[in-house]
Amino acid sequence: MEPRSGARCLPDGSRGPRASGSFGRRRFPAATRLPGQRPSAGWGAPGRRPAQEDRAGAAGRGAPTRLWEEASGGGPARHPHGVPPGPGPAAPAGPRRPPVPGETGPGRGPGSPAAARPRGAGLRGRRARAKPPAAAAATRQRNMSPVTSRRSRPRRPDPAARTAHAPPPAPHWPPLPRLRRPFRTVPLPRRLYGGAAMLRPPRRFPRQPRRAAATATGPGRRLLLSTPIFYANGPPHIGHLYSALLADALHRHRGLRAAGPGRLSTGTDEHGLKIQQAAAAAGTSPPELCQRVSGLFRQALSQAAVSFTDFTRTSEPRHQRAVRHFWGALRDGGALYKGSYEGWYCTPEECFLPESQLAERRDAQGRPCKVSLESGHQVHWTKEENYMFRLSAFRDPLQKWLRDNPRAISPDPFYQRVLRWLEEDLPDLSVSRERSRLQWGIPVPSDSTQTIYVWVDALVNYLSVVGYPETHGEWWPAAHHVVGKDILKFHAVYWPALLMAAGLAPPERIFVHSHWTVRGQKMSKSLGNVIDPFACIGQYTVDGFRYFLLRQGVPERDCDYYDEKVVKVVNSELADALGGLLNRSTALSINPSNTYPCFSESCFPKILDYRETKAVGRASAEDYEFVASVASLPLQVASYFEGFQIYKALECVALCVRQTNSFFQRHRPWKLNQQDPAEKLWLDTIIHVTLECLRVYGTLLQPVIPHTADKLLSRLAVEPEERGLSSLTFLPRYNGKPCPFEGRQLGPDTGILFHRLEKSRQHQIETEKL
Ligand code: MSP
């Protein structure tokens, strides 16, 4: 599935969404320009034909012509940046849940404006002021504006520099074009532009984004982890839950590392046409619909043990206030202008689509219509006057940001995808809708005829949650966003550009995941194959379902969901392998004292090279090998979490669990004579090693299966303060160090660790038929 598009204009020069307006001098009276600004158009980069597969990139192509007006819509020249006082940042509100250790609580391309403008239109006066060509060329060299500085594609630096445990590099952002300064006129290369002059961003660069304490690296630093905020137009499905579980597992793992204060934010995206229409279709009002659906998401996340500290609803006053302030920052920075454009709007995707992303179909009445190729939803021709965001000015800053921060987007294929987008056309972005069309949203400050585009509104949740515009500096930009691939462009292109334009740094990292399909098909309401997370949790238990999604979900590629697979994975790895191991190693028949038995160094002596040395104790070369792999597991798991490969971390744990079962089986402890002191030493050592392994697995699995891990660790009598990663020393006695667990009474036996799952009813019916 390819990325959805943001609202933008023209397609590839054909009949797609397109801008209209005028660039001629007559249409831009001086009174309507930005203070100190000359009429201008088209200082974006020379565009290339957009890739067909990129919906978001193609949208908006062929930028709008601009009706130069005061960005505040003709209202007061400056918006008072201090917005009306509202409630401060809300106290973290989360569900009741077990504490998480360490957590503290809550262009000029085809169709661009310049191309759309008749050659020479609106240039009178500019030419007269133009520098002589030599001076202009020198200026151009210094300036490196988007027009002249198309760089070759940034390469990822040496992968060796991206080691899993290296502290994340401090975010780096480029200087921004100072948009409010009057543009200087420079002649363009005659060969390319027929000698026409165009306006370029000025040489001086504006405010640097504020660096805050939050950017400090090292232990103890703060981190905001986020899930996307979910559309409140329908109930949650397992795709939503997957996004949230990934973020939750990262948050919990970070808590185990005691890495510093952390927050996990989530919430609901409540504005926009989609919600407005869904409410109308349901015969209710948008606020009522949102209240109900937002409650469902909160409930689903809580039930799935997502340990969120903050839940933002975009309809909340504190969020709306932050959005208005953010808008003011964009406008005051000169990043907005008013333009009119038209195109095919896809409401379910909340964006304009270019012709290349559309297909011809027939509607329910048999009339021909156009639909989105990706989602199959019908699109409608929309023509309106909007505020535009100068996205085209941010190609260089965005490329530099990515070049300087090669870990900013993971996994790597998505990083590469974003770099490719940045080589394509990057038209300006429509960031408002006419209020007559869209009432359910935040009005543009000082222009009540416009509503702020739902994506700008939604993205600001990552700031409003940390107290923007007052206290966000304590957290921002130490933010890691988990997002699905369909919303990558919004997060990796639009959001960083918007932030830069508002004087803030881009988020530190964006973790991207692919989608769940159902028996090979895209999940959709119309196909009736949407998987309900409540039902899954009921059927497979919270931990069973969490384990399945995180164990089987591979961020780089789509994964297929079917019930039998859940049953198979969960039964074999949680119930049989892990549960069985605990059951066997704590059986009273082999451990009548129900204590953590002692390790015997004579049975399992430390050997530097077990392949070379002849065994002197009772452990075999295979045992040494297995113990070595369990010893390296915590670091391996940490490195996979760091690289957003949680499924690989779980694969390693599952492999070690299997090896432990083999170790136990190989030595048949139940056959050893407990009355014989030598045999008893070896028996205790086998149990000790097995319990040590289980302690490691229980500790490492806490971020994924918190309830089961808690049960396991409680059975092993591991105290809450002993469950962090810093105190995870595996088999200390083997290394000649004391083991605090030896001789400790085990915790109460609370029964089977994980009950085997029943096959789903559907599966039973299908099997019976055979
Ligand atoms: N509201 C926007 C996000 C705004 S964030 C500032 C949105 N909401 S959504 O409800 O449609 O999607 C939320 C998350 O669910 C996204 O990460 C999306 O990728 C994910 N999923 C939606 N369907 C999915 C699958 N079938 N599989 C996996 N995840 C999917 O987009």
Side-chain angles (χ1 to χ4, degrees):
M1 182 167 164
E2 283 305 317
R4 281 186 267 166
S5 153
R8 284 114 325 244
C9 336
L10 311 188
D12 30 346
S14 59
R15 299 168 43 226
R18 67 173 173 269
S20 68
S22 52
F23 287 96
R25 272 176 303 114
R26 280 163 296 146
R27 300 281 291 274
F28 307 115
T32 60
R33 292 173 207 147
L34 286 167
Q37 197 164 27
R38 297 183 193 123
S40 95
W43 48 283
R48 287 200 340 211
R49 258 188 88 81
Q52 295 284 304
E53 101 280 352
D54 170 12
R55 189 135 49 101
R61 160 166 314 148
T65 43
R66 296 159 188 177
L67 299 172
W68 281 106
E69 287 185 12
E70 175 59 45
S72 59
R78 279 186 70 83
H79 171 68
H81 223 219
V83 289
R96 286 169 68 86
R97 58 184 167 75
V100 177
E103 177 194 296
T104 55
R108 193 175 168 103
S112 73
R117 184 186 62 219
R119 291 263 183 243
L123 297 176
R124 206 169 76 180
R126 278 187 250 152
R127 278 192 188 132
R129 283 186 293 272
K131 287 187 182 181
T139 308
R140 218 167 27 246
Q141 279 255 310
R142 285 193 301 270
N143 246 5
M144 295 297 284
S145 81
V147 174
T148 52
S149 64
R150 282 295 293 271
R151 294 192 179 103
S152 59
R153 178 165 148 195
R155 296 236 175 86
R156 220 183 238 293
D158 177 9
R162 307 177 67 223
T163 53
H165 299 294
H172 183 89
W173 50 88
L176 309 178
R178 191 177 172 89
L179 300 165
R180 293 210 67 188
R181 292 178 63 81
F183 296 154
R184 286 168 304 108
T185 312
V186 292
L188 294 167
R190 191 167 291 277
R191 189 169 47 86
L192 293 175
Y193 300 98
M198 70 176 292
L199 298 178
R200 316 176 68 234
R203 198 170 357 134
R204 285 231 234 120
F205 295 129
R207 50 190 160 164
Q208 283 285 326
R210 261 170 261 134
R211 270 178 185 269
T215 60
T217 53
R221 67 194 284 274
R222 290 165 185 251
L223 185 75
L224 171 71
L225 258 154
S226 68
T227 78
I229 52 170
F230 305 100
Y231 282 129
N233 64 331
H237 60 61
I238 60 161
H240 302 133
L241 185 60
Y242 182 55
S243 276
L245 288 180
L246 286 165
D248 180 55
L250 293 177
H251 176 62
R252 286 176 179 268
H253 188 263
R254 190 170 179 279
L256 283 186
R257 285 188 284 129
R263 282 164 84 160
L264 173 60
S265 77
T266 189
T268 39
D269 188 353
E270 305 191 359
H271 292 136
L273 207 52
K274 181 180 174 120
I275 312 284
Q276 186 174 296
Q277 290 180 353
T284 182
S285 68
E288 271 170 17
L289 176 73
C290 292
Q291 175 76 19
R292 186 162 51 79
V293 177
S294 182
L296 282 178
F297 272 99
R298 192 185 265 271
Q299 197 189 341
L301 298 178
S302 303
Q303 271 192 23
V306 175
S307 58
F308 59 90
T309 58
D310 299 83
F311 190 101
T312 299
R313 295 185 57 189
T314 56
S315 57
E316 287 165 22
R318 67 166 179 150
H319 170 77
Q320 298 195 22
R321 180 173 163 265
V323 173
R324 286 196 297 271
H325 191 94
F326 191 81
W327 181 276
L330 293 178
R331 188 207 49 216
D332 290 353
L336 304 178
Y337 64 93
K338 220 167 178 185
S340 90
Y341 73 86
E342 52 195 290
W344 294 105
Y345 196 75
C346 179
T347 305
E349 297 177 39
E350 289 286 18
C351 58
F352 281 90
L353 297 175
E355 200 78 30
S356 58
Q357 295 290 326
L358 303 176
E360 303 278 351
R361 294 275 186 283
R362 296 212 167 256
D363 67 12
Q365 283 75 45
R367 290 173 304 212
C369 69
K370 283 185 188 284
V371 296
S372 159
L373 262 180
E374 179 172 316
S375 66
H377 290 114
Q378 196 173 343
V379 295
H380 296 98
W381 188 257
T382 309
K383 180 178 181 183
E384 55 183 55
E385 192 173 80
N386 296 151
Y387 286 96
M388 303 294 295
F389 169 63
R390 296 179 195 281
L391 180 65
S392 55
F394 288 87
R395 182 197 306 280
D396 279 2
L398 287 168
Q399 285 181 335
K400 178 161 169 45
W401 164 59
L402 289 179
R403 252 199 321 270
D404 294 347
N405 296 281
R407 299 175 346 134
I409 300 168
S410 302
D412 192 66
F414 294 112
Y415 175 87
Q416 300 299 343
R417 187 181 293 186
V418 176
L419 287 179
R420 281 197 301 275
W421 284 337
L422 290 176
E423 289 194 328
E424 294 166 2
D425 201 14
L426 195 65
D428 290 348
L429 179 68
S430 165
V431 286
S432 70
R433 293 283 169 274
E434 276 179 8
R435 194 131 189 103
S436 55
R437 243 179 253 277
L438 174 63
Q439 299 85 47
W440 182 235
I442 304 172
V444 165
S446 312
D447 185 351
S448 55
T449 67
Q450 295 275 324
T451 301
I452 295 176
Y453 178 38
V454 63
W455 265 103
V456 173
D457 176 346
L459 287 163
V460 173
N461 94 85
Y462 302 129
L463 285 176
S464 64
V465 71
V466 287
Y468 180 82
E470 285 90 16
T471 56
H472 59 285
E474 288 169 26
W475 294 86
W476 197 265
H480 293 185
H481 302 319
V482 173
V483 301
K485 63 179 184 176
D486 55 324
I487 54 175
L488 175 59
K489 182 163 270 186
F490 296 94
H491 284 82
V493 177
Y494 305 155
W495 180 225
L498 287 163
L499 284 163
M500 289 178 193
L504 293 164
E508 255 172 32
R509 297 192 71 179
I510 299 170
F511 294 116
V512 194
H513 66 80
S514 299
H515 280 186
W516 282 93
T517 54
V518 179
R519 294 185 183 271
Q521 280 188 308
K522 187 180 155 73
M523 226 188 309
S524 88
K525 261 191 246 169
S526 48
L527 288 172
N529 63 353
V530 172
I531 308 285
D532 171 12
F534 291 106
C536 292
I537 289 172
Q539 195 168 353
Y540 306 123
T541 75
V542 172
D543 280 7
F545 200 56
R546 283 177 67 105
Y547 186 79
F548 170 76
L549 288 181
L550 293 172
R551 168 82 168 91
Q552 292 290 307
V554 178
E556 287 93 332
R557 56 173 186 268
D558 286 354
C559 301
D560 202 31
Y561 175 90
Y562 50 97
D563 290 327
E564 302 85 300
K565 194 149 76 175
V566 189
V567 175
K568 205 170 154 194
V569 168
V570 170
N571 278 349
S572 74
E573 294 187 358
L574 288 187
D576 299 346
L578 189 68
L581 186 62
L582 178 69
N583 196 33
R584 296 160 89 194
S585 58
T586 52
L588 285 180
S589 54
I590 57 164
N591 185 9
S593 64
N594 198 34
T595 53
Y596 214 98
C598 292
F599 176 83
S600 156
E601 282 146 309
S602 60
C603 294
F604 211 132
K606 185 165 174 115
I607 295 177
L608 287 180
D609 189 346
Y610 53 83
R611 286 179 209 90
E612 299 284 304
T613 322
K614 204 167 162 8
V616 283
R618 298 192 62 163
S620 65
E622 227 175 337
D623 298 337
Y624 282 98
E625 210 163 329
F626 139 69
V627 159
S629 60
V630 180
S632 65
L633 189 63
L635 273 183
Q636 235 179 335
V637 165
S639 132
Y640 282 132
F641 268 80
E642 169 69 22
F644 198 51
Q645 291 181 305
I646 297 171
Y647 72 103
K648 280 200 181 163
L650 294 178
E651 196 176 296
C652 291
V653 175
L655 179 69
C656 282
V657 173
R658 277 205 298 278
Q659 287 180 338
T660 319
N661 269 309
S662 305
F663 163 78
F664 199 81
Q665 188 69 24
R666 198 160 52 237
H667 297 299
R668 301 167 175 260
W670 56 92
K671 295 262 185 200
L672 295 172
N673 179 359
Q674 296 179 34
Q675 311 313 318
D676 177 337
E679 297 271 281
K680 177 80 167 87
L681 275 184
W682 180 224
L683 169 66
D684 283 355
T685 302
I686 295 167
I687 300 174
H688 180 98
V689 171
T690 307
L691 297 191
E692 278 291 278
C693 290
L694 281 167
R695 185 170 66 83
V696 168
Y697 308 146
T699 305
L700 295 177
L701 287 171
Q702 290 175 97
V704 176
I705 44 169
H707 304 116
T708 309
D710 174 48
K711 195 169 173 184
L712 170 56
L713 293 172
S714 299
R715 178 75 174 107
L716 300 180
V718 182
E719 298 294 336
E721 61 277 9
E722 295 170 325
R723 298 180 181 188
L725 291 175
S726 50
S727 49
L728 189 56
T729 41
F730 170 63
L731 218 50
R733 288 291 309 281
Y734 176 72
N735 290 307
K737 301 206 175 97
C739 172
F741 299 97
E742 271 186 349
R744 201 184 274 190
Q745 191 69 36
L746 292 181
D749 181 0
T750 50
I752 290 177
L753 181 70
F754 196 94
H755 288 273
R756 282 182 67 81
L757 298 174
E758 298 268 317
K759 283 189 185 129
S760 75
R761 191 70 206 112
Q762 179 63 26
H763 181 60
Q764 280 174 14
I765 294 165
E766 279 169 15
T767 327
E768 277 158 20
K769 274 195 223 151
L770 294 174

